[in-house]
Amino acid sequence: MTRSARWIVFWLGAGGVGVLIVLALLKMPSFGGLVHPYRELSVPAAIGRSSPNIVSSVNFDQRALDTLGEETILLGSVVGAAALLRPSKDEREQLDQDEGRVLEATKLLGYLLLPVTLIVGADVVTHGHLTPGGGFQGGVVLATAVHLLYVAGSYKMLRRVRPKSWYQVAEAVAAGAFVVLGLVGLLLTGAFLANIFPRGVLGDLFSSGTVFYLNVAVGAEVTSGVVVLLSGFLAQALSVREVR
Amino acid sequence: MSLLPYFVAGWLLLIGCFGVVRSRDLVHTVVCVAIAQSGTYVLLLSIGFQYGASAPVQGAPGPVVDPVVQALTLTDIVVSATVTALLLALVIQIAKRTDTVDPDELDELRG
């Protein structure tokens, strides 16, 4: 298709979609209004299950099945990207001897922030049912902490401290743990992903039943998934070379 | 203008698609897809918003905003990130196999 033909198709389509969007949005309730039927249902349900962070309760208790789907999408995408990024048969992994220089200030800041970032990530994962955060957010923070080794240290150091196969196994185990917790609920109560563990006292670390454990499982999966993804991209950029 | 945030969401969707059509570089295309998807975050969050309400964590003063749409937005962000990662991996493969990341040149090469 030529560029001009593509533009004609785009303007016709965008014009149609734009008109439909405007017509639909004009009938929307006013922004910032008082009517929120979902909120009226989900907030009491979350409080009744000792989960002060209502978003986590919605994600890991009230609609945990959707989160299982979301987690499976993540797993599928990591597997797909890892397959696409693996070295082909005329490529080999070669590490450059000279890795350039890291500024002293960057090194200092990186090594100071590494333990802090690990603690913050673990905190965001484990308090996901109490305060804003959860497995997805905390997992990304934890994976970032691992990659501070690359920013402050070197690629070789990152590769030594981050055995890729461990993270691949951890990802599969964490994704499986989510399903196993769901199956335990199915066996005990007859509902998949039912909240089976004792709810505890509102505000305690080990409260809100399964939400805590699902958060930890998702945190482990997201950490490993992001590490595996970034290791694929970093290898493509830094160490995979074509050999003739 | 009480409907403005909804129109911002529609605008983001259309401007993202515009960027995809205008794109001369596949990495740019992938970013435009992510922008088109970010329209859905704005739409979901503005549906759940209420003036004067606080974050949906118990202990916050007064009414809270709708937590269900916030949970949906979180799902949306995760899906967007995974799609972006997969598309970028595909771009790397295309760049290796065809030595170009311009969608128009790909068209010419394949006839």
Side-chain angles (χ1 to χ4, degrees):
Chain A
M1 198 190 289
T2 61
R3 274 192 96 73
S4 54
R6 198 190 300 163
W7 279 116
I8 293 171
V9 171
F10 170 75
W11 285 117
L12 285 176
V17 173
V19 168
L20 289 177
I21 288 177
V22 169
L23 287 179
L25 292 185
L26 287 176
K27 297 275 174 68
M28 291 280 278
S30 174
F31 172 72
L34 299 172
V35 185
H36 293 289
Y38 291 135
R39 175 189 66 189
E40 313 308 343
L41 294 172
S42 62
V43 172
I47 301 304
R49 291 149 185 257
S50 309
S51 178
N53 180 2
I54 300 155
V55 176
S56 260
S57 173
V58 170
N59 262 329
F60 294 101
D61 193 357
Q62 300 173 32
R63 49 176 279 270
L65 186 64
D66 292 4
T67 306
L68 177 63
E70 174 186 1
E71 202 198 27
T72 318
I73 292 176
L74 177 69
L75 181 68
S77 134
V78 170
V79 171
L84 283 170
L85 291 175
R86 69 176 191 269
S88 64
K89 63 177 184 293
D90 44 0
E91 286 174 336
R92 295 284 176 277
E93 286 229 50
Q94 283 169 357
L95 286 177
D96 291 338
Q97 288 307 310
D98 178 32
E99 292 199 310
R101 201 172 63 89
V102 181
L103 281 178
E104 297 296 323
T106 312
K107 270 188 197 168
L108 178 70
L109 198 62
Y111 288 130
L112 279 180
L113 281 180
L114 176 62
V116 177
T117 317
L118 279 175
I119 291 169
V120 169
D123 178 80
V124 171
V125 171
T126 50
H127 291 82
H129 56 303
L130 300 176
T131 52
F136 289 103
Q137 300 90 324
V140 174
V141 176
L142 283 172
T144 310
V146 175
H147 288 90
L148 281 177
L149 275 176
Y150 168 60
V151 176
S154 68
Y155 183 52
K156 273 184 205 145
M157 196 186 297
L158 176 70
R159 286 172 65 99
R160 221 177 302 133
V161 183
R162 179 215 64 187
K164 194 171 150 190
S165 55
W166 292 14
Y167 285 94
Q168 287 167 336
V169 172
E171 162 141 44
V173 169
F178 200 111
V179 180
V180 168
L181 279 168
L183 287 176
V184 172
L186 182 66
L187 284 177
L188 291 182
T189 66
F192 189 62
L193 282 165
N195 197 338
I196 37 166
F197 293 111
R199 310 274 162 77
V201 181
L202 186 74
D204 276 6
L205 179 59
F206 294 102
S207 63
S208 75
T210 31
V211 175
F212 174 79
Y213 300 96
L214 291 178
N215 253 324
V216 172
V218 166
E221 198 209 328
V222 172
T223 309
S224 343
V226 173
V227 167
V228 171
L229 267 183
L230 284 180
S231 78
F233 284 111
L234 280 175
Q236 286 293 330
L238 296 172
S239 65
V240 171
R241 300 276 178 272
E242 208 172 328
V243 287
R244 290 168 225 283
Chain B
M1 193 56 186
S2 69
L3 292 175
L4 182 64
Y6 304 134
F7 286 111
V8 171
W11 164 255
L12 278 172
L13 171 71
L14 291 177
I15 201 74
C17 296
F18 176 83
V20 170
V21 175
R22 211 181 77 94
S23 181
R24 304 304 298 255
D25 184 319
L26 285 173
V27 177
H28 173 266
T29 316
V30 174
V31 174
C32 289
V33 171
I35 287 172
Q37 189 162 12
S38 64
T40 57
Y41 315 155
V42 176
L43 181 65
L44 283 169
L45 292 179
S46 41
I47 286 172
F49 183 73
Q50 176 181 333
Y51 282 111
S54 40
V57 176
Q58 212 232 345
V64 297
V65 296
D66 190 342
V68 176
V69 286
Q70 294 209 350
L72 290 175
T73 308
L74 174 62
T75 308
D76 203 353
I77 291 171
V78 173
V79 171
S80 171
T82 56
V83 167
T84 305
L86 202 53
L87 287 177
L88 287 175
L90 279 169
V91 172
I92 288 182
Q93 281 296 331
I94 290 170
K96 272 192 206 165
R97 275 155 206 269
T98 60
D99 279 329
T100 175
V101 287
D102 184 344
D104 286 342
E105 283 179 38
L106 288 176
D107 208 37
E108 285 156 21
L109 284 173
R110 293 293 148 98

